[in-house]
Amino acid sequence: MFDHTQTAAVTLSNARIVTPGGIVEGGLRIEEGRIAGLTRAAGGRDLGGAFLIPGIVDLHTDHVERHTHPRSTVVWPFLPALLAHDAVVIAGGTTTVLDSLSVGASMKRPERREILEPLVAALHEGQRAGAFRAEHLLHLRCEISDPATMALADATMRHPLTRLVSVMDHTPGDRQSPDIDRWFSHMIHELEVDEATGRVMMDDLLDRSRTRGAEVRAHVVRAARGAGVPLMSHDDRTGAHVAEAAGEGIAISEFPTTLAAARRAREMGMTIVAGAPNYLRGGSQSGNVSVAALLAEGLVDALASDYVPRSPLDAAFRLAADPALPHGLPEAVALVSGAPARIAGLADRGRIEPGLRADLVAVRMAGAQPVVDAVWRAGRQVF
């Protein structure tokens, strides 16, 4: 059990401290779980010249299902699965993670409807018991093609761990998957069904999206507004998608799939969240806009891990060394710490500043590869 409420005073010395204003060589004092200030004094824990960065805040990770469903026919007990997920998260320097759980289902993984509430209950149990090294919060990914999403959203929207809600539509022919034939070929392979069965399943999905999608989306938006939870619009592809979201009062565009959509989001004053794996891979796995292209035009405010938990850490250090992009390490680290913390309404973390929570990561370099040496959450070393 990790007791994050009681911490002794700690001095971390001989570090390259990444602050919003630049990199400062020296030390840092932790008192009562918070950053007391920077220091030139030696002693305490010598970090050997490692970088000291604020703990990463990850707004979107799909990684939970890798542990709850390690094989297509296997469902692992939820709390042990979450503990395994937590170990991966903290090893990548993430001290606050918004687990992005699917609310409803499109065509694959219909069991998401049944597992959502018990999975949320297990997450809450682990959090209250102090079982996790990172702090786990909720990002509800609401699938608007599924009418069941409405009741599921109502059941989880006001949960004390819920911090973000996104509206998403994974129906092919639009947004993330404009090429229906390519999507269909991939989907029947993944689901291991024949073409005729796949056609029936796809037709059902298209019908649900067409006849119920607007109703479900409106319901989710109203529920999030009523609960005071920030909303994101997922996979916007066109200016019309962005305008629809803005008209609903949505201020965050998550993973826009085209340069045009990202530009329109910026014109409308929206915050833009992009995927770190896209940047690291040099492009989108779905053939959509590259995050490097968005970064080059200043169209990224925050990076999230999406499907690779340690990718924000790697992306920040890669970005700082990228000669094609105008980011120093403080600016790059802010994309994975300070900016996500602001988006999630977590004002007590995300930066190395006096008075903020001492969520910290010591990172040394193995050549060009950042390696996490130690992690502190609220002043207590957890890795």
Side-chain angles (χ1 to χ4, degrees), residues 6-91:
Q6 299 295 324
T7 57
V10 176
T11 297
L12 306 177
S13 63
N14 189 18
R16 289 175 284 177
I17 304 168
V18 182
T19 76
I23 299 175
V24 178
E25 295 189 7
L28 179 147
R29 182 74 173 165
I30 300 171
E31 296 177 2
E32 297 182 352
R34 296 192 173 270
I35 299 168
L38 304 187
T39 176
R40 293 288 183 181
R45 172 75 178 272
D46 189 322
L47 297 185
F51 289 102
L52 190 65
I53 69 171
I56 289 167
V57 179
D58 188 2
L59 297 175
H60 180 136
T61 177
D62 299 342
H63 196 254
V64 174
E65 289 183 358
R66 301 286 182 90
H67 297 283
T68 60
H69 292 75
R71 292 288 188 270
S72 60
T73 58
V74 174
V75 180
W76 207 249
F78 290 154
L79 187 53
L82 289 166
L83 286 166
H85 164 62
D86 175 70
V88 175
V89 164
I90 204 73

Side-chain angles (χ1 to χ4, degrees), residues 270-309:
M270 297 176 78
T271 298
I272 301 171
V273 178
N278 179 314
Y279 171 66
L280 291 168
R281 293 181 70 251
S284 163
Q285 63 165 342
S286 303
N288 295 317
V289 68
S290 75
V291 168
L294 300 181
L295 286 162
E297 292 201 19
L299 297 174
V300 176
D301 298 301
L303 290 169
S305 75
D306 197 4
Y307 57 92
V308 182

Side-chain angles (χ1 to χ4, degrees), residues 2 64 84 108 152 222 227 238 278 284 380:
F2 296 95
V64 174
K108 62 181 181 179
L152 291 169
R222 284 195 304 271
T238 67
N278 179 314
S284 163
R380 181 175 292 278

